[in-house]
Amino acid sequence: MNRKLKQSIYFGLFRVSGWAVVAAIAVLIGYLLFYGIGAINWEFLTQAPRVGMSKGGIFPQLLGTIYLMALVLIISIPIGILSAVYLVEYQKNKFMKGVWRVVVHNLAGVPSVVYGLLGLGLFVLLLDMGASLIAAGLTLSILVLPIIIASTREALIAIPPSLREASIALGATKWQTVRHHILPYAMPGILTGVILSLSRAAGETAPIILVGAAYYMPGLPDSLFSAFQALPYHIYALATQTRVALTGQSLYGSALVLLMLVVGMNLVAIMLRNKYRKKYRW
Amino acid sequence: MVIHVTDITVRQLNVHFDKAHALKDVSMRIEEKKITAIIGPSGCGKSTFIRCINRMNDIIPSAKVTGDVLVDGTNIYDAKVDVTDVRKKIGMVFQKPNPFPKSIFENIAYAPRIHGTKRKEDLSLIVERSLRRAALWDEVKDRMNKSAYDLSGGQQQRLCIARTLAIEPEIILFDEPCSALDPIATAKIEDLLIDLKKDYTVVIVTHNMQQAARVADRTAFFYLGELIEYGSTRDLFEKPEKDLTEQYITGRMG
Protein backbone atom coordinates (compact mmCIF):
# COMPACT_ATOMS: atom_id res chain seq x y z
CA MET A 1 0.00 0.00 0.00
CA ASN A 2 1.48 3.35 -0.84
CA ARG A 3 2.14 5.99 1.78
CA LYS A 4 -0.34 8.53 0.48
CA LEU A 5 -3.19 6.04 0.54
CA LYS A 6 -2.25 4.96 4.05
CA GLN A 7 -2.24 8.57 5.15
CA SER A 8 -5.69 9.17 3.64
CA ILE A 9 -7.09 6.13 5.42
CA TYR A 10 -5.76 7.24 8.79
CA PHE A 11 -6.85 10.83 8.29
CA GLY A 12 -10.27 9.50 7.38
CA LEU A 13 -10.41 7.51 10.60
CA PHE A 14 -9.41 10.56 12.66
CA ARG A 15 -12.00 12.68 10.90
CA VAL A 16 -14.78 10.16 11.46
CA SER A 17 -13.86 9.82 15.15
CA GLY A 18 -13.79 13.56 15.59
CA TRP A 19 -17.16 14.06 13.98
CA ALA A 20 -18.68 11.10 15.82
CA VAL A 21 -18.19 12.96 19.10
CA VAL A 22 -19.80 16.09 17.75
CA ALA A 23 -22.63 14.07 16.24
CA ALA A 24 -23.34 12.24 19.51
CA ILE A 25 -23.70 15.51 21.38
CA ALA A 26 -25.73 17.08 18.59
CA VAL A 27 -28.13 14.13 18.55
CA LEU A 28 -28.49 14.19 22.34
CA ILE A 29 -29.17 17.90 22.51
CA GLY A 30 -31.34 17.86 19.39
CA TYR A 31 -33.43 15.02 20.78
CA LEU A 32 -33.92 16.74 24.13
CA LEU A 33 -34.71 20.05 22.45
CA PHE A 34 -37.16 18.47 20.05
CA TYR A 35 -39.16 16.69 22.75
CA GLY A 36 -38.50 18.94 25.71
CA ILE A 37 -38.52 22.53 24.52
CA GLY A 38 -42.33 22.58 24.36
CA ALA A 39 -42.50 21.86 28.10
CA ILE A 40 -40.33 24.74 29.14
CA ASN A 41 -42.12 27.89 30.14
CA TRP A 42 -42.33 30.07 33.21
CA GLU A 43 -44.95 27.85 34.83
CA PHE A 44 -42.78 24.76 34.33
CA LEU A 45 -39.88 26.38 36.15
CA THR A 46 -41.87 27.92 39.00
CA GLN A 47 -44.58 25.41 39.92
CA ALA A 48 -44.74 22.04 41.57
CA PRO A 49 -45.81 18.98 39.59
CA ARG A 50 -49.51 18.16 39.63
CA VAL A 51 -51.85 15.39 38.48
CA GLY A 52 -49.40 12.51 38.92
CA MET A 53 -46.51 14.61 37.60
CA SER A 54 -48.18 15.00 34.21
CA LYS A 55 -49.00 18.67 34.75
CA GLY A 56 -47.41 21.58 36.55
CA GLY A 57 -43.66 22.08 36.74
CA ILE A 58 -40.44 21.05 38.36
CA PHE A 59 -39.78 23.89 40.78
CA PRO A 60 -39.17 21.76 43.92
CA GLN A 61 -36.79 19.49 42.03
CA LEU A 62 -34.90 22.38 40.47
CA LEU A 63 -34.63 24.08 43.84
CA GLY A 64 -33.42 20.84 45.48
CA THR A 65 -30.69 20.45 42.88
CA ILE A 66 -29.62 24.06 43.36
CA TYR A 67 -29.53 23.52 47.14
CA LEU A 68 -27.32 20.48 46.66
CA MET A 69 -24.94 22.38 44.41
CA ALA A 70 -24.78 25.20 46.93
CA LEU A 71 -23.97 22.77 49.75
CA VAL A 72 -21.24 21.11 47.70
CA LEU A 73 -19.86 24.54 46.84
CA ILE A 74 -19.74 25.55 50.50
CA ILE A 75 -18.44 22.26 51.92
CA SER A 76 -16.15 20.56 49.48
CA ILE A 77 -14.60 23.36 47.51
CA PRO A 78 -12.75 25.02 50.38
CA ILE A 79 -11.70 21.65 51.80
CA GLY A 80 -10.62 20.33 48.41
CA ILE A 81 -8.61 23.40 47.45
CA LEU A 82 -6.97 23.77 50.85
CA SER A 83 -6.02 20.10 51.07
CA ALA A 84 -4.47 20.22 47.59
CA VAL A 85 -2.52 23.35 48.56
CA TYR A 86 -1.32 21.64 51.72
CA LEU A 87 -0.15 18.55 49.95
CA VAL A 88 1.50 20.30 47.02
CA GLU A 89 2.99 23.33 48.77
CA TYR A 90 3.47 22.33 52.40
CA GLN A 91 3.85 18.55 52.66
CA LYS A 92 7.52 17.80 52.20
CA ASN A 93 7.50 14.05 52.63
CA LYS A 94 7.66 12.47 49.19
CA PHE A 95 6.24 9.17 50.41
CA MET A 96 3.19 10.88 51.92
CA LYS A 97 2.67 12.79 48.68
CA GLY A 98 2.69 9.51 46.78
CA VAL A 99 0.29 7.80 49.19
CA TRP A 100 -2.05 10.74 49.00
CA ARG A 101 -2.03 10.81 45.21
CA VAL A 102 -2.92 7.12 45.05
CA VAL A 103 -5.73 7.63 47.57
CA VAL A 104 -7.19 10.53 45.61
CA HIS A 105 -7.02 8.66 42.30
CA ASN A 106 -8.70 5.64 43.83
CA LEU A 107 -11.40 7.71 45.46
CA ALA A 108 -12.15 9.24 42.08
CA GLY A 109 -12.76 5.75 40.73
CA VAL A 110 -15.16 4.56 43.44
CA PRO A 111 -18.67 4.10 41.97
CA SER A 112 -21.05 6.78 43.12
CA VAL A 113 -23.53 4.33 44.60
CA VAL A 114 -20.82 3.29 47.06
CA TYR A 115 -20.58 6.89 48.21
CA GLY A 116 -24.34 6.72 48.62
CA LEU A 117 -23.94 3.72 50.92
CA LEU A 118 -21.26 5.56 52.89
CA GLY A 119 -23.58 8.55 53.26
CA LEU A 120 -26.45 6.32 54.32
CA GLY A 121 -24.35 4.55 56.94
CA LEU A 122 -22.41 7.55 58.19
CA PHE A 123 -24.58 10.64 57.88
CA VAL A 124 -28.14 9.31 57.76
CA LEU A 125 -27.86 6.56 60.35
CA LEU A 126 -24.75 6.90 62.52
CA LEU A 127 -24.81 10.68 62.83
CA ASP A 128 -28.60 10.57 62.83
CA MET A 129 -29.13 13.28 60.24
CA GLY A 130 -31.95 11.31 58.67
CA ALA A 131 -32.67 11.30 54.97
CA SER A 132 -31.96 14.96 54.46
CA LEU A 133 -30.49 17.73 52.37
CA ILE A 134 -27.46 17.97 54.63
CA ALA A 135 -26.75 14.22 54.42
CA ALA A 136 -26.98 14.39 50.64
CA GLY A 137 -24.88 17.54 50.50
CA LEU A 138 -22.16 15.93 52.60
CA THR A 139 -22.26 12.71 50.58
CA LEU A 140 -21.94 14.54 47.28
CA SER A 141 -19.18 16.68 48.79
CA ILE A 142 -17.11 13.59 49.56
CA LEU A 143 -17.86 12.27 46.10
CA VAL A 144 -16.54 15.36 44.32
CA LEU A 145 -13.54 15.99 46.60
CA PRO A 146 -11.17 13.87 44.47
CA ILE A 147 -12.14 15.86 41.38
CA ILE A 148 -11.41 19.18 43.05
CA ILE A 149 -8.20 17.94 44.64
CA ALA A 150 -6.88 16.38 41.44
CA SER A 151 -7.59 19.42 39.29
CA THR A 152 -6.25 21.84 41.91
CA ARG A 153 -3.13 19.72 42.20
CA GLU A 154 -2.62 19.76 38.43
CA ALA A 155 -3.03 23.53 38.42
CA LEU A 156 -0.58 24.01 41.29
CA ILE A 157 2.19 21.82 39.93
CA ALA A 158 1.88 23.52 36.53
CA ILE A 159 3.10 26.79 38.06
CA PRO A 160 6.82 27.16 37.34
CA PRO A 161 8.95 26.73 40.48
CA SER A 162 10.85 29.86 39.41
CA LEU A 163 7.83 31.98 40.38
CA ARG A 164 7.75 30.46 43.86
CA GLU A 165 11.47 31.13 44.18
CA ALA A 166 11.03 34.71 43.03
CA SER A 167 8.55 35.42 45.79
CA ILE A 168 10.43 33.49 48.49
CA ALA A 169 13.69 35.24 47.56
CA LEU A 170 12.04 38.61 48.19
CA GLY A 171 11.49 37.63 51.81
CA ALA A 172 7.87 36.58 51.41
CA THR A 173 6.57 33.89 53.72
CA LYS A 174 5.23 30.71 52.24
CA TRP A 175 1.69 31.84 52.93
CA GLN A 176 2.24 35.21 51.23
CA THR A 177 3.61 33.33 48.24
CA VAL A 178 0.60 31.03 48.13
CA ARG A 179 -1.88 33.83 48.70
CA HIS A 180 -0.49 36.38 46.23
CA HIS A 181 0.96 34.14 43.55
CA ILE A 182 0.24 30.43 43.65
CA LEU A 183 -3.52 30.56 44.17
CA PRO A 184 -4.24 33.36 41.68
CA TYR A 185 -2.08 31.75 39.00
CA ALA A 186 -3.72 28.36 39.60
CA MET A 187 -7.23 29.80 39.51
CA PRO A 188 -8.15 28.77 35.93
CA GLY A 189 -7.35 25.15 36.72
CA ILE A 190 -9.05 25.28 40.10
CA LEU A 191 -12.21 26.74 38.56
CA THR A 192 -12.29 23.92 36.03
CA GLY A 193 -12.36 21.42 38.88
CA VAL A 194 -14.99 23.39 40.76
CA ILE A 195 -17.33 23.46 37.78
CA LEU A 196 -16.81 19.79 37.01
CA SER A 197 -17.69 19.03 40.62
CA LEU A 198 -20.81 21.14 40.58
CA SER A 199 -21.93 19.43 37.37
CA ARG A 200 -21.36 16.06 39.02
CA ALA A 201 -23.32 17.18 42.08
CA ALA A 202 -26.18 18.33 39.87
CA GLY A 203 -26.29 15.13 37.87
CA GLU A 204 -25.58 12.33 40.37
CA THR A 205 -28.62 10.16 41.01
CA ALA A 206 -27.66 6.96 42.77
CA PRO A 207 -26.14 8.44 45.95
CA ILE A 208 -28.89 10.95 46.63
CA ILE A 209 -31.60 8.30 46.33
CA LEU A 210 -29.94 6.54 49.25
CA VAL A 211 -29.50 9.55 51.49
CA GLY A 212 -32.48 11.80 51.16
CA ALA A 213 -33.96 12.48 47.75
CA ALA A 214 -37.69 11.88 47.78
CA TYR A 215 -39.56 10.33 44.89
CA TYR A 216 -42.30 12.77 45.61
CA MET A 217 -43.04 15.05 48.53
CA PRO A 218 -45.47 17.88 48.97
CA GLY A 219 -44.00 21.29 49.67
CA LEU A 220 -40.39 22.40 49.78
CA PRO A 221 -37.59 21.42 52.18
CA ASP A 222 -37.83 23.80 55.15
CA SER A 223 -34.48 23.05 56.75
CA LEU A 224 -31.19 21.28 56.11
CA PHE A 225 -32.68 18.24 57.80
CA SER A 226 -35.70 17.89 55.51
CA ALA A 227 -35.96 15.43 52.72
CA PHE A 228 -35.92 17.03 49.28
CA GLN A 229 -36.48 16.36 45.61
CA ALA A 230 -33.88 16.70 42.91
CA LEU A 231 -33.91 16.79 39.12
CA PRO A 232 -31.99 13.60 38.32
CA TYR A 233 -34.19 11.46 40.54
CA HIS A 234 -37.26 13.21 39.17
CA ILE A 235 -36.20 12.24 35.66
CA TYR A 236 -35.66 8.66 36.79
CA ALA A 237 -39.04 8.63 38.51
CA LEU A 238 -40.86 10.03 35.47
CA ALA A 239 -39.16 7.60 33.13
CA THR A 240 -39.74 4.46 35.16
CA GLN A 241 -42.72 5.03 37.43
CA THR A 242 -45.20 6.97 35.30
CA ARG A 243 -46.87 6.48 31.94
CA VAL A 244 -44.51 8.29 29.61
CA ALA A 245 -47.39 8.88 27.21
CA LEU A 246 -48.75 11.32 29.79
CA THR A 247 -45.55 12.66 31.32
CA GLY A 248 -43.19 12.51 28.33
CA GLN A 249 -43.00 16.23 27.76
CA SER A 250 -42.30 16.91 31.41
CA LEU A 251 -39.64 14.17 31.36
CA TYR A 252 -37.76 15.63 28.40
CA GLY A 253 -38.29 19.12 29.75
CA SER A 254 -36.68 18.15 33.07
CA ALA A 255 -33.72 16.57 31.30
CA LEU A 256 -33.33 19.67 29.18
CA VAL A 257 -33.39 21.95 32.23
CA LEU A 258 -30.75 19.81 33.96
CA LEU A 259 -28.61 19.84 30.85
CA MET A 260 -28.94 23.61 30.50
CA LEU A 261 -28.03 24.06 34.14
CA VAL A 262 -24.81 22.11 33.63
CA VAL A 263 -23.98 23.68 30.27
CA GLY A 264 -24.70 27.13 31.70
CA MET A 265 -22.28 26.53 34.56
CA ASN A 266 -19.63 25.33 32.18
CA LEU A 267 -20.03 28.53 30.19
CA VAL A 268 -19.61 30.61 33.33
CA ALA A 269 -16.50 28.58 34.15
CA ILE A 270 -15.03 29.15 30.72
CA MET A 271 -15.64 32.88 31.02
CA LEU A 272 -14.04 33.06 34.46
CA ARG A 273 -11.13 30.96 33.25
CA ASN A 274 -10.49 33.20 30.27
CA LYS A 275 -10.64 36.22 32.51
CA TYR A 276 -7.95 34.79 34.81
CA ARG A 277 -5.89 33.53 31.90
CA LYS A 278 -5.79 37.02 30.48
CA LYS A 279 -4.86 38.48 33.82
CA TYR A 280 -2.09 36.04 34.67
CA ARG A 281 -0.24 34.45 31.80
CA TRP A 282 3.23 33.08 31.78
CA MET B 1 29.09 56.51 63.92
CA VAL B 2 27.91 53.01 63.22
CA ILE B 3 30.09 51.26 60.74
CA HIS B 4 27.88 49.02 58.71
CA VAL B 5 29.72 45.95 57.56
CA THR B 6 28.02 43.73 55.05
CA ASP B 7 30.75 41.32 54.24
CA ILE B 8 29.99 37.63 54.28
CA THR B 9 32.07 35.07 56.10
CA VAL B 10 31.49 31.45 55.18
CA ARG B 11 32.91 28.80 57.49
CA GLN B 12 33.05 25.06 56.92
CA LEU B 13 29.99 25.08 54.70
CA ASN B 14 28.75 21.65 53.66
CA VAL B 15 25.66 20.81 51.64
CA HIS B 16 24.21 17.37 51.06
CA PHE B 17 21.34 16.49 48.74
CA ASP B 18 20.25 13.08 50.03
CA LYS B 19 23.48 11.15 49.51
CA ALA B 20 25.23 13.58 47.18
CA HIS B 21 27.81 15.78 48.85
CA ALA B 22 27.36 18.95 46.80
CA LEU B 23 29.52 21.38 48.74
CA LYS B 24 32.56 20.35 50.75
CA ASP B 25 34.01 22.38 53.60
CA VAL B 26 33.86 25.72 51.87
CA SER B 27 35.30 28.62 53.83
CA MET B 28 35.71 32.07 52.33
CA ARG B 29 35.19 35.73 53.05
CA ILE B 30 33.26 37.82 50.57
CA GLU B 31 34.18 41.48 50.73
CA GLU B 32 31.82 44.35 51.11
CA LYS B 33 30.86 46.50 48.12
CA LYS B 34 32.88 44.44 45.72
CA ILE B 35 31.81 42.06 43.00
CA THR B 36 32.79 38.52 43.75
CA ALA B 37 32.43 36.01 40.92
CA ILE B 38 31.99 32.29 41.46
CA ILE B 39 33.17 30.27 38.45
CA GLY B 40 33.53 26.60 37.72
CA PRO B 41 32.21 23.88 35.44
CA SER B 42 28.57 22.74 35.53
CA GLY B 43 27.74 20.78 38.63
CA CYS B 44 30.65 22.19 40.65
CA GLY B 45 28.33 23.51 43.36
CA LYS B 46 28.52 27.20 42.53
CA SER B 47 24.74 27.68 42.41
CA THR B 48 24.35 25.56 45.53
CA PHE B 49 26.89 27.79 47.24
CA ILE B 50 25.23 31.06 46.35
CA ARG B 51 21.82 29.70 47.36
CA CYS B 52 23.22 29.04 50.83
CA ILE B 53 23.87 32.74 51.33
CA ASN B 54 20.17 33.66 51.33
CA ARG B 55 19.01 30.24 52.52
CA MET B 56 17.20 29.42 49.28
CA ASN B 57 18.27 25.83 49.75
CA ASP B 58 15.82 25.71 52.64
CA ILE B 59 13.00 25.19 50.17
CA ILE B 60 14.58 22.03 48.76
CA PRO B 61 13.43 19.30 51.14
CA SER B 62 16.41 17.01 50.49
CA ALA B 63 19.04 19.72 51.09
CA LYS B 64 20.99 19.60 54.33
CA VAL B 65 23.23 22.54 55.10
CA THR B 66 25.85 22.60 57.86
CA GLY B 67 28.41 25.23 58.72
CA ASP B 68 28.19 28.98 59.25
CA VAL B 69 27.35 31.87 56.99
CA LEU B 70 28.01 35.08 58.88
CA VAL B 71 26.50 38.29 57.57
CA ASP B 72 27.17 41.37 59.68
CA GLY B 73 28.56 38.98 62.25
CA THR B 74 25.27 37.10 62.57
CA ASN B 75 25.07 33.48 61.56
CA ILE B 76 22.08 33.38 59.23
CA TYR B 77 21.62 29.68 60.00
CA ASP B 78 21.14 30.45 63.69
CA ALA B 79 17.82 29.12 65.00
CA LYS B 80 16.86 32.59 66.25
CA VAL B 81 17.19 34.14 62.82
CA ASP B 82 14.01 34.72 60.82
CA VAL B 83 14.69 33.46 57.31
CA THR B 84 12.47 36.13 55.73
CA ASP B 85 14.68 38.82 57.31
CA VAL B 86 17.72 37.13 55.81
CA ARG B 87 16.17 37.21 52.36
CA LYS B 88 15.06 40.80 52.75
CA LYS B 89 18.63 41.79 53.45
CA ILE B 90 20.13 39.53 50.77
CA GLY B 91 18.37 39.79 47.42
CA MET B 92 18.65 37.28 44.61
CA VAL B 93 18.40 37.42 40.83
CA PHE B 94 17.98 34.12 39.02
CA GLN B 95 19.30 32.43 35.93
CA LYS B 96 16.20 32.81 33.85
CA PRO B 97 14.26 36.07 34.19
CA ASN B 98 11.29 35.19 36.38
CA PRO B 99 9.00 38.21 36.58
CA PHE B 100 5.59 37.60 38.08
CA PRO B 101 2.80 37.32 35.49
CA LYS B 102 1.54 40.72 36.59
CA SER B 103 2.02 44.33 35.58
CA ILE B 104 5.42 45.98 35.66
CA PHE B 105 4.28 48.11 38.60
CA GLU B 106 2.96 45.14 40.56
CA ASN B 107 6.19 43.22 40.03
CA ILE B 108 8.15 45.87 41.90
CA ALA B 109 5.47 46.90 44.39
CA TYR B 110 4.89 43.35 45.64
CA ALA B 111 7.90 43.06 47.93
CA PRO B 112 7.63 46.48 49.64
CA ARG B 113 3.93 45.78 50.12
CA ILE B 114 4.45 42.45 51.89
CA HIS B 115 7.11 44.09 54.03
CA GLY B 116 4.63 46.68 55.24
CA THR B 117 4.55 49.64 52.84
CA LYS B 118 0.87 50.30 52.21
CA ARG B 119 0.46 53.82 50.88
CA LYS B 120 0.17 54.06 47.13
CA GLU B 121 2.39 57.19 46.96
CA ASP B 122 5.17 55.47 48.89
CA LEU B 123 4.93 52.42 46.66
CA SER B 124 5.04 54.56 43.52
CA LEU B 125 8.20 56.24 44.79
CA ILE B 126 9.88 52.93 45.53
CA VAL B 127 8.86 51.56 42.14
CA GLU B 128 10.26 54.55 40.29
CA ARG B 129 13.48 54.63 42.31
CA SER B 130 14.08 50.91 41.83
CA LEU B 131 13.43 51.04 38.10
CA ARG B 132 15.73 54.03 37.69
CA ARG B 133 18.45 52.27 39.63
CA ALA B 134 18.09 49.22 37.38
CA ALA B 135 18.33 51.45 34.29
CA LEU B 136 14.88 50.43 33.13
CA TRP B 137 12.72 53.44 34.03
CA ASP B 138 12.97 55.27 30.70
CA GLU B 139 11.99 52.15 28.80
CA VAL B 140 8.91 51.30 30.88
CA LYS B 141 7.66 54.52 32.50
CA ASP B 142 4.79 54.84 30.02
CA ARG B 143 3.56 51.28 30.40
CA MET B 144 3.66 50.54 34.09
CA ASN B 145 0.34 48.70 33.91
CA LYS B 146 1.37 46.45 31.05
CA SER B 147 2.31 42.85 31.71
CA ALA B 148 5.95 42.24 32.56
CA TYR B 149 5.83 39.50 29.95
CA ASP B 150 5.61 42.10 27.19
CA LEU B 151 9.22 43.09 27.95
CA SER B 152 12.24 41.58 26.20
CA GLY B 153 14.39 39.03 28.03
CA GLY B 154 17.01 41.60 28.97
CA GLN B 155 14.39 44.06 30.18
CA GLN B 156 12.74 41.29 32.20
CA GLN B 157 16.04 40.54 33.88
CA ARG B 158 16.54 44.21 34.73
CA LEU B 159 12.97 44.23 36.04
CA CYS B 160 13.93 41.32 38.30
CA ILE B 161 16.93 43.32 39.48
CA ALA B 162 14.68 46.33 40.16
CA ARG B 163 12.30 44.04 42.02
CA THR B 164 15.16 42.95 44.24
CA LEU B 165 16.36 46.53 44.77
CA ALA B 166 12.87 47.44 46.00
CA ILE B 167 13.41 45.41 49.20
CA GLU B 168 16.48 47.56 49.88
CA PRO B 169 18.90 44.69 50.32
CA GLU B 170 22.53 45.10 51.32
CA ILE B 171 23.80 42.13 49.37
CA ILE B 172 22.60 40.97 45.96
CA LEU B 173 23.23 37.47 44.68
CA PHE B 174 23.17 36.84 40.93
CA ASP B 175 22.84 33.21 39.83
CA GLU B 176 24.07 33.20 36.21
CA PRO B 177 21.94 36.25 35.42
CA CYS B 178 22.96 36.51 31.76
CA SER B 179 22.87 32.89 30.69
CA ALA B 180 19.52 33.38 28.93
CA LEU B 181 20.38 36.75 27.38
CA ASP B 182 21.95 37.96 24.13
CA PRO B 183 25.30 39.84 24.17
CA ILE B 184 23.76 43.32 24.09
CA ALA B 185 21.41 42.60 26.99
CA THR B 186 24.33 40.96 28.78
CA ALA B 187 26.46 44.09 28.38
CA LYS B 188 23.70 46.20 29.91
CA ILE B 189 23.45 43.90 32.90
CA GLU B 190 27.23 43.95 33.35
CA ASP B 191 27.28 47.76 33.31
CA LEU B 192 24.54 47.70 35.87
CA LEU B 193 26.45 45.27 38.10
CA ILE B 194 29.47 47.56 38.13
CA ASP B 195 27.22 50.49 38.99
CA LEU B 196 25.49 48.54 41.76
CA LYS B 197 28.68 47.69 43.63
CA LYS B 198 28.92 51.30 44.75
CA ASP B 199 26.05 50.56 47.11
CA TYR B 200 25.77 46.82 47.36
CA THR B 201 27.88 43.77 47.97
CA VAL B 202 27.49 41.67 44.82
CA VAL B 203 28.07 37.96 44.36
CA ILE B 204 27.67 36.55 40.87
CA VAL B 205 27.74 32.96 39.71
CA THR B 206 28.78 32.68 36.10
CA HIS B 207 29.97 29.97 33.75
CA ASN B 208 31.29 32.67 31.48
CA MET B 209 34.91 33.31 32.43
CA GLN B 210 35.12 36.48 30.32
CA GLN B 211 32.22 37.84 32.27
CA ALA B 212 33.98 37.16 35.56
CA ALA B 213 37.13 38.81 34.19
CA ARG B 214 35.15 41.86 33.02
CA VAL B 215 33.11 42.61 36.13
CA ALA B 216 34.53 40.90 39.20
CA ASP B 217 36.97 42.28 41.72
CA ARG B 218 37.52 38.88 43.23
CA THR B 219 36.92 35.46 41.79
CA ALA B 220 36.50 32.04 43.34
CA PHE B 221 36.95 28.83 41.39
CA PHE B 222 34.87 25.84 42.45
CA TYR B 223 35.41 22.28 41.31
CA LEU B 224 33.43 19.19 42.36
CA GLY B 225 31.96 20.97 45.36
CA GLU B 226 35.25 22.32 46.63
CA LEU B 227 36.63 25.82 46.66
CA ILE B 228 39.88 25.36 44.73
CA GLU B 229 41.18 28.88 44.51
CA TYR B 230 40.05 32.32 45.56
CA GLY B 231 41.71 35.67 45.08
CA SER B 232 41.68 38.87 43.11
CA THR B 233 40.29 38.36 39.64
CA ARG B 234 43.51 39.48 37.99
CA ASP B 235 45.68 37.09 39.99
CA LEU B 236 43.34 34.20 39.45
CA PHE B 237 43.25 34.64 35.69
CA GLU B 238 46.86 35.73 35.13
CA LYS B 239 48.81 33.64 37.56
CA PRO B 240 46.62 30.92 39.02
CA GLU B 241 48.25 29.00 41.83
CA LYS B 242 46.53 25.68 41.31
CA ASP B 243 46.82 23.46 38.25
CA LEU B 244 43.08 22.82 38.25
CA THR B 245 42.37 26.54 38.03
CA GLU B 246 44.81 26.95 35.20
CA GLN B 247 43.33 24.01 33.32
CA TYR B 248 39.87 25.48 33.67
CA ILE B 249 40.66 29.06 32.68
CA THR B 250 42.72 27.95 29.71
CA GLY B 251 39.84 25.82 28.48
CA ARG B 252 41.44 22.43 28.98
CA MET B 253 38.63 21.38 31.28
CA GLY B 254 34.93 21.82 31.74
Side-chain angles (χ1 to χ4, degrees), chain A residues 122-165:
Chain A
L122 182 63
F123 300 123
V124 176
L125 301 174
L126 188 68
L127 299 176
D128 205 19
M129 293 173 179
S132 61
L133 256 180
I134 185 72
L138 288 166
T139 305
L140 288 176
S141 292
I142 298 179
L143 181 131
V144 302
L145 262 181
I147 303 173
I148 301 173
I149 294 178
S151 59
T152 303
R153 175 179 174 274
E154 297 298 322
L156 291 174
I157 59 179
I159 297 171
S162 63
L163 292 177
R164 292 180 177 81
E165 287 192 329

Side-chain angles (χ1 to χ4, degrees), chain B residues 212-228:
Chain B
R214 282 192 299 264
V215 302
D217 301 294
R218 296 174 66 76
T219 298
F221 171 59
F222 278 62
Y223 186 65
L224 297 178
E226 286 179 80
L227 174 59
I228 304 297

Side-chain angles (χ1 to χ4, degrees), chain A residues 165-172, chain B residues 5-10 30 49-56 69-77 81-94 115 163-165 167-174 200-203:
Chain A
E165 287 192 329
S167 174
I168 292 289
L170 290 166
Chain B
V5 191
T6 51
D7 66 350
I8 305 164
T9 306
V10 178
I30 293 168
F49 172 74
I50 201 175
R51 291 167 64 96
C52 286
I53 301 175
N54 65 342
R55 287 183 57 179
M56 280 306 278
V69 176
L70 276 70
V71 176
D72 276 1
T74 309
N75 182 8
I76 60 166
Y77 283 92
V81 170
D82 181 346
V83 66
T84 58
D85 292 340
V86 171
R87 295 184 187 134
K88 187 177 180 305
K89 189 165 167 168
I90 307 171
M92 185 169 226
V93 175
F94 295 86
H115 290 295
R163 181 175 69 184
T164 299
L165 294 174
I167 57 174
E168 297 176 16
E170 292 163 18
I171 299 163
I172 309 177
L173 311 172
F174 291 85
Y200 305 93
T201 303
V202 173
V203 185

